[in-house]
Amino acid sequence: MATRRAVIMAAGAGALASGVATPAAGDPGSDVLAVVEKSGHAVAFYETPSGRLLRKVALPDYPHEMVVDSHRRFAYVGHYGVRMSATAGEGGAAVFVIDLAERTLARTIDTRPFNRVHGMGIDDRDRLYALSEEKAMLLGFDTPSTDVAPTRAVPAHGVKTHLFTLSRDGERAYVTGLLSHTVSLVRPHDASAPPLVMTPGQLPESSCLSRDERTLFVGARKSSALVAVDARTMRVQRSRKVGGDPLRVYTIDEDRLLATDIAANTLTLYSTALRPIRSLRLDGIPAAVSFHPRRPLAYVSQLGTNSVAVVDLERFAVVGGFGTGPEPDSSVLLPTAG
């Protein structure tokens, strides 16, 4: 793996963009879904709803999380460098900058010594944040389209810090620690600010903020619980046992949440009061979800079946889908103009 990584990191962006037989651009009017394929070691671009593969951008082993800027100009992918959180190893120490117009690797930001870069976030000023799981540091990039290294870093105050949720203005970050079983409120732009640390349950991994950013919702996986936390005081407001393994939780609107259960292979809608509304069983294991910015559609990456399921959030039914490369994970919908 080390040899392959060295060769790829030394190669230019042109060498890393692997062409395919189909054109680089979809048909006029087609949306495109960009998908990180962890074990495919790539970001792949698919036309929706046909599922036609447009292009793959090859990356070093095991990219994981991805975010895009507000102009849909660049995507930023963390180089985790190992397959799963339980996998031992040094992992990767980089952020990959993907040109979404050209569908190429524009460049690589070296984050050493901060390794196992996993959680990614971007604020409303397009400042980028990346989380080093191994070093428990939250890195900041003020101008990520041109930065060659982090411009700031703050301690994440947890152990095996895996994911985080960011306030829209970038002034608050909520970092989950898989081994410390904690959520830490840290200030990405003020390392002197004391953190607020709490334990919502066992193995908290994913979280999301309510639309008004007053409540943080956390999935405590080993506790099989969803937990609502006051986003300022970090005190638990309410908790509900949901069963299974709530891997990810997302805010849908002011009133609803969406949670994935990788034990039962389900998506479940909950009210923000944590009352279950409706569940949908899937064919695969729901790894991650992204949303259409203008239509009530969710794109669910499915492990096991190596596919994306398209879910209508109003009907709460699968209305489409297509195959992907190995282990699809985070994704983003790139809509047509208009």
Side-chain angles (χ1 to χ4, degrees):
M1 175 177 171
T3 301
R4 180 179 185 272
R5 180 179 185 274
V7 170
I8 293 179
M9 293 288 280
L16 283 167
S18 59
V20 295
T22 52
D27 295 333
S30 297
D31 293 336
V32 173
L33 189 73
V35 184
V36 173
E37 297 173 349
K38 292 193 303 186
S39 290
H41 318 299
V43 173
F45 294 83
Y46 295 94
E47 184 181 80
T48 65
S50 71
R52 182 166 66 103
L53 175 63
L54 303 175
R55 192 169 180 86
K56 280 184 184 279
V57 178
L59 297 174
D61 288 352
Y62 301 113
H64 277 223
E65 298 299 299
M66 174 174 62
V67 293
V68 300
D69 64 27
S70 61
H71 302 290
R72 299 295 201 267
R73 183 67 181 85
F74 294 105
Y76 301 95
V77 181
H79 187 202
Y80 193 50
V82 293
R83 181 171 172 262
M84 300 174 65
S85 63
T87 304
E90 181 180 348
V95 171
F96 305 122
V97 183
I98 307 296
D99 186 314
L100 295 175
E102 299 296 327
R103 298 174 190 159
T104 60
L105 176 65
R107 58 195 188 86
T108 297
I109 305 174
D110 192 335
T111 63
R112 289 175 296 181
F114 305 110
N115 58 317
R116 289 177 74 114
V117 177
H118 192 260
M120 303 289 289
I122 200 161
D123 67 19
D124 58 10
R125 293 171 55 183
D126 283 336
R127 296 177 297 188
L128 178 70
Y129 307 82
L131 183 61
S132 166
E133 180 187 88
E134 176 67 21
K135 297 297 190 293
M137 296 292 289
L138 182 62
L139 312 177
F141 305 82
D142 289 349
T143 53
S145 62
T146 56
D147 286 338
V148 297
T151 50
R152 63 186 70 250
V154 297
H157 296 284
V159 181
K160 205 167 190 177
T161 51
H162 199 62
L163 290 172
F164 65 96
T165 292
L166 190 69
S167 62
R168 285 186 289 271
D169 62 7
E171 295 300 322
R172 292 176 285 147
Y174 301 85
V175 183
T176 57
L178 296 180
L179 280 183
S180 53
H181 306 285
T182 54
V183 180
S184 307
L185 167 56
V186 300
R187 304 286 177 170
H189 296 273
D190 185 1
S192 69
L196 289 177
V197 184
M198 57 85 66
T199 299
Q202 296 298 296
L203 199 67
E205 182 163 343
S206 173
S207 64
C208 63
L209 281 165
S210 60
R211 286 290 176 87
D212 62 11
E213 299 195 335
R214 294 180 179 178
T215 305
L216 183 76
F217 300 99
V218 183
R221 296 181 57 191
K222 282 192 175 178
S223 298
S224 299
L226 290 181
V227 184
V229 178
D230 186 294
R232 298 288 181 174
T233 67
M234 297 300 283
R235 294 174 181 166
V236 173
Q237 295 176 325
R238 53 193 174 273
S239 180
R240 174 179 287 272
K241 288 283 187 179
V242 297
D245 187 339
L247 177 68
R248 302 255 188 168
V249 56
Y250 302 90
T251 301
I252 299 295
D253 52 33
E254 291 81 359
D255 302 311
R256 298 178 300 166
L257 308 172
L258 182 71
T260 67
D261 184 334
I262 63 170
N265 292 3
T266 56
L267 297 178
T268 300
L269 283 172
Y270 291 90
S271 71
T272 51
L274 305 185
R275 292 189 297 270
I277 300 171
R278 194 172 179 184
S279 288
L280 173 65
R281 185 171 179 83
L282 301 173
D283 292 333
I285 301 168
V289 182
S290 64
F291 302 91
H292 197 292
R294 298 191 298 267
R295 301 171 60 193
L297 295 175
Y299 300 85
V300 186
S301 298
Q302 298 185 107
L303 305 177
T305 57
N306 291 332
S307 63
V308 168
V310 182
V311 175
D312 184 316
L313 293 172
E314 292 183 346
R315 296 162 52 192
F316 210 55
V318 175
V319 293
F322 50 86
T324 67
E327 292 197 299
D329 196 10
S330 57
S331 67
V332 64
L333 195 283
L334 307 173
T336 55

